[in-house]
Amino acid sequence: LTAYPRRGKLISVRGIDGLSEDWRIFGETECGEYSPLYASICRSVADDAELLGLAASAPATGQQPNVLLAAVHYLVLSGLNTQLSEVYAGRRGISDAPALFREAVLGHRDAVARLLATRRTQTNEPGRAALLALGLVQAAAVLGEPIGVLDAGCSAGLNLLLDRYRYDYGAAGVLGPADSPVTVGCALSGVATVPARLPVIAERHGIDLEPVDLSDADDARWLLACVWPDTGRLPRTAAAIELARRSPPPVSAGDMVADLDAALDRFDPALPVVVTTTSAIGYLDEAQRRDFVAILRRRGIQRRLAWVTTDPVGLIDLFPAPPVRRETLACTLGLAIFDGGEPAGRTLGVCHSHGAWLEWTDPAWPH
Ligand SMILES: C[S@@+](CC[C@H](N)C(=O)[O-])C[C@H]1O[C@@H](n2cnc3c(N)ncnc32)[C@H](O)[C@@H]1O
């Protein structure tokens, strides 16, 4: 048995039966109504011994449903000329998607197997910037500004450019430069208006175990391939990648626990720093999570320091479970201030993992 992390848990690869269950659960709980296209493909792969067999022959990292889905999407983005491209582009209904998906995998078996063997899920979701933006406003209200931002587990660093994006929070209003090439929509509820502006970011840096190099066309395409085609996120991710290519965010390779001290040392000591993590803490085991918080506690004695994070509801004790919860990909948006004393965690709201919606629950609004 091989174990690999998924959404904060270690799960085992149990051969074809286990994979079938993974596909079924993934389709129901993660895709669901959010991605009807992938939900329908997942349902059919869960019953397809041939496709499951191909997935089962991959290394553990390649066995996650997301990786086979991304492998086929990668082929589509590479110009694979099948009707599946039409479905993914939304120009054709999804009823044929499972059969076309199957045809694409089996027709390009070697290429798919190569991708499963060499790639792993790699997302860098600029939609999460809509969550971080409001978290940073709250953090700066306590710490003062300008601030430094350290994004830990930053992938390609797209969320380090969060002050370059335009946010559309629906009825609550808009935020960010009107002429931004990247617009992120987030259905915000629980508040009447959004803040007038973001805090000034004087310094920014990101660390990731395996940063994505956007100057590598293949890596950039894989990043895009990991986006689910029918969720409306492709154009904004492509635009964010383009922006990051023109203005590369400062990212370096490093472990978010072992190298956290060194990453914090990069910032002007007088500058308050907000450490951000989005869908990254789940990759740490419990001992690493404890160490991560312990380092922030220690560093909070010397400098103004906060942590803004989005992670699956209940993953981090510091942030009480929000009073409301929607099921599909529900995360907690949390803020903790580290000032030398016992860190006080505030749950700001419950949100969709990709930032599709945010239900604000913290009474301290507006800041
Ligand atoms: C699901 S992605 C999220 C990326 C980005 N934070 C976002 O929200 O778009 C998780 C990222 O965490 C990184 N990661 C996992 N464990 C890590 C560690 N111990 N230190 C640094 N980065 C890590 C992975 O390489 C990956 O890029």
Side-chain angles (χ1 to χ4, degrees), residues 122-126 128 151-155 159 207-210 254-257 277-280 283-284 288:
Q122 183 53 270
T123 46
N124 195 185
E125 179 46 66
R128 294 179 181 133
D151 193 17
C154 67
S155 185
N159 286 328
I207 49 170
D208 196 281
L209 266 189
E210 298 176 61
D255 183 285
M256 60 194 280
V257 182
T277 55
T278 51
S279 296
Y283 288 77
L284 306 180
Q288 289 173 309

Side-chain angles (χ1 to χ4, degrees), residues 345-364:
R346 271 163 64 192
T347 292
L348 301 178
V350 59
C351 57
H352 181 266
S353 169
H354 299 153
W357 50 264
L358 166 62
E359 207 157 335
W360 194 270
T361 56
D362 185 45

